[in-house]
Amino acid sequence: MSKKDQITKERILNEAEALFAKNGYDAVSVREITTAARCNLAAVNYHFGNKQKLYLEVFRARWVPRARRVQEYFMEFLASRDTVSASAVAQALAEAFLKGPLSDDERQRQSQLMTRELIQPTEAFELLAGEVLRPFFKEMADILRPFMPEGLGNEGLALNILSMFSMVIYFNFARVVVSRITGRDYDAAFKDRLIEQIVGFSLNGLGKGKKKGA
Amino acid sequence: MSKKDQITKERILNEAEALFAKNGYDAVSVREITTAARCNLAAVNYHFGNKQKLYLEVFRARWVPRARRVQEYFMEFLASRDTVSASAVAQALAEAFLKGPLSDDERQRQSQLMTRELIQPTEAFELLAGEVLRPFFKEMADILRPFMPEGLGNEGLALNILSMFSMVIYFNFARVVVSRITGRDYDAAFKDRLIEQIVGFSLNGLGKGKKKGA
DNA sequence: ATTTGTATCAAACAAACGTTTAAATGTCAA
DNA sequence: TTGACATTTAAACGTTTGTTTGATACAAAT
């Protein structure tokens, strides 16, 4: 395995990720990927075994590490605050997912790849759920727990997190609709507006103002 | 065009809808559809022209009418209430989309087909947006407007509706994750719990308690 | 009974698909 | 420079794809 190999392998991974995100697994041909990556058709099978394994490797080598970066950004954003609150958690979540460490293209690809797996889970979903989703939800639950009303069980907490999550995901993958309905371009200013919306909408939804606990 | 024809045509539409929803456009072959519909391979091209036009016809003849039924259910649910409020609107929305007039299979197919178009809009999206999304959003905006704070512009109102919409959509198409995170089966009791969650989460998010208007 | 138009059918089409092969080229240590 | 291994290449493999064809079956009307 020389340097040249890694370069080709990485080019394939990059182009495959972009194409799978944009068009979905079945709409993308191996020829399309290798042409975009400027390498021979057989390279996919040589480096990854077959198309399915390449798809899985896109998640292992690209999607999961990026999701980890978002999660780290979320944690650091929270840590940078002097006091943690339910509102700060919502703010951190929205900032991490709508702005955060990823470029705009990366964010869009990330959302598209995940949403495709949510609609129609494949082998990659197990990876996605085990390595990212479950740990992140556990982390969020641990952080939010002290700020929730005493009567709220684990299920209620989980549903609150899912509610916030739904907005964050939706505003990312349904950009076309969001832009169309609001009549605004999906630019930096609009993203700030969306973050404001998510935080504001989540704030009271999370039970703030009703909370009986500390 | 005889009766037998319509029956075959409808069988194709039914099977095509189920398969497109479950596996996506590119993962479904014409042979798969015609086999499931127990008719000849050439039937698709005879009745619909080609595969793409069949896909579009699924939206025209199946998806849009069902969406209209959901919308009607939403309106009737609201009308049955003696007093309309922001909370009643959230309740009606959640009821219409999570229970409502559709069977569970229909609801799942509806969500999957729409979400696929949200990720990756095709020709069908224009139909979906023009015939259903836009009118429904306008209707919701008109109903909700009086209950919103005076300072809230049209954009803020649109974002509030989108926020509610995101939960309703997400809880429908990401059933696998929702079930996995909460550890509950997606049965009738759980749907009631989800409706409760959406209504509760939306309630204050909509500005109730903060509203300055009537 | 014959005509007319519609619907179904088996068969075939070229094109594109994922994957495999074996030869050619490149890389680097001995 | 030689040898061993890693990578790239063009070509071909057998399937499957969407679509078309022309013959056949069926229905209702003349």
Side-chain angles (χ1 to χ4, degrees):
Chain A
M1 186 199 294
S2 70
K3 263 181 196 165
K4 197 92 185 289
D5 171 28
Q6 283 188 349
I7 292 173
T8 298
K9 211 172 163 182
E10 302 242 325
R11 274 209 317 274
I12 293 177
L13 275 171
N14 291 338
E15 301 298 335
E17 189 199 2
L19 286 167
F20 284 147
K22 187 155 71 95
N23 304 327
Y25 180 84
D26 294 286
V28 176
S29 69
V30 176
R31 281 168 179 82
E32 218 175 330
I33 296 169
T34 52
T35 300
R38 300 185 314 281
C39 65
N40 189 268
L41 168 64
V44 160
N45 296 74
Y46 176 76
H47 287 288
F48 302 95
N50 57 37
K51 185 188 175 186
Q52 177 69 30
K53 286 178 185 169
L54 166 61
Y55 178 74
L56 221 74
E57 192 60 24
V58 164
F59 278 85
R60 219 189 301 276
R62 291 279 182 276
W63 197 94
V64 169
R66 270 206 263 269
R68 292 239 168 84
R69 281 170 56 203
V70 174
Q71 189 174 353
E72 279 167 25
Y73 185 95
F74 167 80
M75 291 303 289
E76 282 166 16
F77 190 96
L78 261 187
S80 74
R81 294 291 177 101
D82 30 321
T83 59
V84 180
S85 66
S87 119
V89 173
Q91 179 86 36
L93 185 77
E95 289 272 351
F97 277 81
L98 266 72
K99 300 174 91 175
L102 305 186
S103 76
D104 229 56
D105 283 342
E106 285 176 316
R107 211 173 359 255
Q108 181 134 8
R109 267 177 283 169
Q110 201 82 350
S111 293
Q112 284 172 325
L113 286 172
M114 181 171 74
T115 309
R116 288 185 192 281
E117 284 294 324
L118 293 192
I119 307 182
Q120 188 185 354
T122 72
E123 211 180 326
F125 180 79
E126 299 303 320
L127 191 76
L128 193 151
E131 301 273 324
V132 176
L133 274 187
R134 208 183 284 273
F136 185 66
F137 266 80
K138 175 156 175 39
E139 198 162 68
M140 275 205 71
D142 291 341
I143 296 172
L144 271 175
R145 167 53 68 201
F147 305 100
M148 293 290 107
E150 283 174 10
L152 192 75
N154 282 332
E155 185 179 293
L157 177 53
L159 288 177
N160 277 340
I161 297 173
L162 282 171
S163 295
M164 282 191 288
F165 206 64
S166 72
M167 283 188 272
V168 159
I169 294 297
Y170 184 82
F171 284 140
N172 257 315
F173 84 80
R175 294 186 184 190
V176 186
V177 167
V178 174
S179 282
R180 240 182 150 94
I181 295 289
T182 57
R184 289 192 56 170
D185 285 341
Y186 206 96
D187 54 14
F190 188 49
K191 277 193 290 187
D192 284 331
R193 180 71 187 87
L194 288 178
I195 292 172
E196 184 191 330
Q197 167 70 19
I198 291 170
V199 174
F201 204 90
S202 300
L203 251 184
N204 301 315
L206 283 174
K208 209 209 140 195
K210 289 184 182 177
K211 75 174 169 202
K212 303 165 188 168
Chain B
M1 187 200 293
S2 72
K3 264 181 198 166
K4 196 89 184 293
D5 172 26
Q6 283 188 348
I7 291 173
T8 299
K9 210 172 162 181
E10 302 242 325
R11 273 208 317 274
I12 293 177
L13 274 171
N14 291 338
E15 301 298 335
E17 188 198 4
L19 286 167
F20 283 148
K22 187 155 71 93
N23 304 326
Y25 180 85
D26 294 285
V28 177
S29 70
V30 176
R31 281 168 179 83
E32 219 175 329
I33 296 169
T34 52
T35 300
R38 302 185 311 281
C39 66
N40 189 268
L41 168 65
V44 161
N45 295 72
Y46 177 76
H47 287 286
F48 302 94
N50 56 37
K51 185 188 176 187
Q52 177 69 30
K53 286 179 184 168
L54 166 60
Y55 178 75
L56 221 74
E57 193 60 23
V58 164
F59 277 85
R60 218 187 303 276
R62 292 280 182 274
W63 197 94
V64 169
R66 271 207 264 269
R68 292 240 168 83
R69 281 170 55 205
V70 174
Q71 189 174 352
E72 279 167 26
Y73 184 96
F74 167 81
M75 291 302 289
E76 284 166 15
F77 190 97
L78 260 187
S80 73
R81 294 292 178 99
D82 31 320
T83 58
V84 180
S85 64
S87 118
V89 174
Q91 179 86 36
L93 185 77
E95 289 271 351
F97 277 81
L98 267 71
K99 300 174 90 174
L102 305 186
S103 76
D104 229 56
D105 281 342
E106 286 176 316
R107 211 174 356 257
Q108 181 132 9
R109 265 176 285 168
Q110 203 82 349
S111 294
Q112 285 172 326
L113 286 172
M114 180 172 75
T115 309
R116 289 186 193 281
E117 284 295 324
L118 293 192
I119 306 182
Q120 187 184 355
T122 73
E123 210 180 327
F125 180 79
E126 299 304 319
L127 191 76
L128 193 152
E131 301 273 324
V132 177
L133 274 188
R134 208 182 283 272
F136 185 66
F137 266 81
K138 175 156 175 42
E139 198 161 67
M140 276 205 71
D142 289 341
I143 297 171
L144 271 175
R145 165 56 68 202
F147 304 101
M148 292 290 107
E150 283 175 10
L152 192 74
N154 282 332
E155 184 180 293
L157 177 54
L159 288 177
N160 277 339
I161 297 174
L162 282 171
S163 295
M164 283 191 287
F165 206 64
S166 72
M167 284 188 271
V168 159
I169 294 297
Y170 183 83
F171 285 141
N172 257 315
F173 84 80
R175 293 186 184 190
V176 187
V177 166
V178 175
S179 283
R180 240 182 149 95
I181 295 289
T182 57
R184 290 192 56 171
D185 285 343
Y186 207 95
D187 53 15
F190 188 49
K191 276 193 291 188
D192 284 330
R193 180 72 186 86
L194 288 179
I195 292 172
E196 185 192 329
Q197 167 69 20
I198 291 170
V199 174
F201 203 90
S202 299
L203 251 184
N204 300 314
L206 282 174
K208 210 206 140 197
K210 287 184 184 177
K211 74 171 169 205
K212 304 164 189 168

